[in-house]
Structure formats: C-alpha cells, structure tokens
Amino acid sequence: MAKKAASKALADVKKKFYITTAIDYPSGKPHLGHAYEKVCADCIARWHRLLGEEVFFLTGTDEHGSKVSRCAKASGKAPQKYVDEMVVYFRELCAKLNISYDRFIRTTDSDHVKISQEIFKKIYEKGEIYLGEYSGWYCDECETFFTEKDLVDGNCPTHGKKAKWVSEESYFFKMSNYSKRVLDALEKNEKIVLPEGKRKEIINRVKEGLNDLSVSRANVPWGIPVPMNANHTQYVWMDALLNYISGVGYPGKDFEKFWPANIHLIGKDILWHHTAIWYSILMAAEIEIPKTVFVHGFINTESGEKMSKSGGTVIDPVALSEKYPADALRYFLLREIPFGQDGNFSEDSMRIRLNNELANGLGNLLNRTVTMIEKYNAGEVPNAKTNIELRKKLDIDGIKKHMENLELHHALGKIFSFVHACNQFTNEKEPWKLDGKERDEVLYSLADSLRMASILLQPFIPETSEKISSQLGLKLGLLADCSFNKLKAGTKVKKAEVLFRKLE
Ligand code: MSP
C-alpha cells in the first residue's frame, strides 16, 4: 500500500515539459521549412519523453486573417471550406514524418475562439485596449504593420511585397506600457531567447521602445469577432499567439500543469511577435511568460536561395517523404543543419548521407550483428560483457549535454561516431575468425551497443529505432535503460528487412 502511494507520489512529481511550434498559415501546401520546424520540435519532445518526463507537444494551423481569406477567394471557396481542405495537407505532413504531437490546434477550433475572446475582453476591461484610428503601412503577407523606416523601397522588409497604406478605426493594445517590463525580462534571463545572438538582436529592437499595437481589423471579416464590437475581428496575431495557452487547456488543469511553455520553437522572421507582442499580451493578461523562445534557422534551396513560390523553388516535404524513408529526411535535417543556423537542402547531399551513414553505417552494423548471432550462436545473444574499449567510445554525458543545450546536430553526430566505432571494432576484431569467449564478447558488445544506439536514436529516427530493437528481440527502452551490459544473454534476435536501401 505504502509502496503504491509512494509510486503515485513519484508520478505526480514527474517533470513537465511543454513545447510548441509556430502554427502554420494554411495559405498553401506545407513546404520544407514547415517540416523542418516540426521535425526539430518532435525530436526535442521525444527526447524529453525518453527522459521520463510528462510532455505536451503542440502544433497546428493559423487559419484566420486577410492572407488566408485572399487565398480562399482566389480558389473560389469560402474561407472555412478552404482551411478545412488545406489543413489535411498539414496533418498529412505530420503523419508522414512521425510528428508525435499531443494536440494539433486549429485557430478555428471553438475552444481557441472562446479563449481568444476572453483574453481580449480581459485586457480591454483592464483599460489596456482602447478604440482609435489606425494609419500605417501594412504587409498582407505577414499581416504586420510597418513604419516608413522599416520599409525597403516601399516594400515589406521580410517579403519584399509592396506595403499598402491602411487607415481605419481599430482597437489598440497599450503595448507601449510594457516596454520596460519586456526589456527587463529579455535582459535578466539568458535563456529566454536562444541562440544568444537572437536575444541580443531583440533586446536592441525593444530598446527603441514598443508602440501601441493595432489589434483589430474593421475590414477583415474572416477572423474572431472582437467580443465588444462585432464590426471588428481580432488582429490575426492577437488570435494566433493565444493558441499556446488555449491549446493546452487555459485556464484548466492541464494549463496549470504545463504552463509556462518550456520552448516555443519558431523561425527568425517571427521573433518580434513571440517576444515583444506575446510577452506584452501575457503581462497584460497576468500570465507568466514562456521560459524559452528558440529561434531556428531557415532552410534554403540547394544554391542557398530562399524558397519561393513564384520562383518555383518551394521544396515539398510530402513528395520527399514518399521518395525517401521519412527517417532519412529527418536524419538529414537534424544532422546537416546546425540547430539555430540556416542551411541548404540538397537531395544529392541527403542521398550521400543516406548511403554512407544510414545504409553503410547503421544498417550494415545491424545486419552484420544479427547475421553473426544467427550464424554462430543460433540466434541468441551470447553470455558476455561489452568490451571496455568500445564502451569508452559512447559519450552519453556529452550527448545529454548537447540535448540540454539544444545542439541536436552535435548529439546526433556523437551517436553516429559511436556507430562508426562499432563498425571499426567489428573490422578490427574480425569475429568470423574468432571462437569461444572471444567471439561471444564481440557479438554481445555489438548487440548491446546497438540496443543503446536504438534508445538514443529514438528522438531522431524513431521508426528506425523501433526496427533495430525489434530485430534485437527487444522493446524500446527509456534513457534510464541506456547503460551497458543490460542486454540479457539468451535474447533471441530476428533478422528482417535491411534498414535502409542504398540509392544511386
Ligand atoms: N502563422 C504564423 C505563425 C504564428 S505562431 C503563433 C507564421 N506562419 S508561417 O506558415 O509563415 O510559418 C510557420 C513557421 O515556419 C515559422 O516559424 C516560420 O519561421 C517557419 N518557416 C517558414 N519558412 C521557413 C524556412 N524556409 N525554413 C525554416 N523555417 C521556416 O509565421
């Protein structure tokens, strides 16, 4: 009884981890940039599950506003019908890439609409939102107002599209009241925005002061109605950002459990929205701000250019995941691009990594190990201990440290150095020339090492991890199982399909 109560108490204190991606505009099909963000967030979420933490992982779509409504119009559909059709592609992307979200939020979900209105009303009733007149330069693409000096030759600094002069009645949020508090928060906590360069960048921008923000539109009917005035809809960012709290059940138990978010994972173009605007809204609503906003880099084309629809350079991740194993794409994205920096995507480079590291490296190691155990030990893991020299080649503490510091590429690199060391160990020991205890030690070492690799690789290439552990006759373990010599002698291995086929 006492034991049961103790284990329940332990479960109650399980560490919580809440991670979000930005929610995508379903104004077109998802591109590789959307896939990249989801894969990175998924890797981090899976890592925290592996640590035994209780994880909530939120992703979804940002469905209101003039941009989506323009696209719906162009396709001759009502906005709701249009987003209902488009969201299918984003869900399909998640399914193809094994994105293990706990909720896929749509900003048209009724609970989100209700919470957005409640927060708007709460801030209005505090006197922090007022009715005024707005005039300014507006970019329809990013749904953002700019000052004259932000524009580049009259164009949006992000999209290069002509900004238009908009003048209309609007509700304003007194964001200027939060300049000091936002700046203090950014300056006080080194981890609040990562990488560090991005924190510096945003501090410098916030130092210039925050202006009041127009938070309603009188001429955009496709949006959440402003609760106190049905002629207005909420500005799309005033609706979208709130997904991070509505998506985790604000103001209920799950929200209490998981908030503040541990990581908002976003691209560099929306850092302002996720710091200056989001912190101010949360401060006005008297809600704690998130712990970390992590800014990942952009995926560009092979030649380093920005993907663009008009230039025909948009890379379709669903098409890629049909042509290559999903894990090959995940592996490439997580290994090739230093997390936090920009990177280029090239199918040729992906194929090279697939052939060399996944097929020749990992796949070959598994294949050799299982084949030899079948041949020399009737398919049963021999009774031995893992070779001490080989054990030294796996830097588990280093991998943990890299994951803690969100250096996903380094963590994956270290796991693959170990895979490489295991192949080298096999070549050096030549177990096919050995027998007795010596051969047993090599075979046990390889199977035990692959078991460890399958645990560590789960966040990165989850399907492959499952396949490895199933060929080793095991269930996938947690990080707590990731120490050597835990593999039981006599475990029955079973050879199956090769992990990765080499491509020309
Ligand atoms: N809807 C807003 C986000 C609202 S969050 C409350 C939005 N949508 S988006 O579809 O334009 O972008 C979604 C995410 O994808 C953003 O984090 C954005 O930075 C990221 N990316 C867009 N293009 C990208 C690349 N080429 N590479 C990597 N990520 C990129 O912004």
Side-chain angles (χ1 to χ4, degrees), residues 22-25 31 33-34 37 62 244 267 269-270 296 298-299:
I23 46 173
D24 306 323
Y25 289 128
H31 57 64
H34 296 134
E37 185 169 297
D62 183 0
Y244 299 131
D269 53 332
I270 52 175
H296 63 74
F298 262 46
I299 305 253

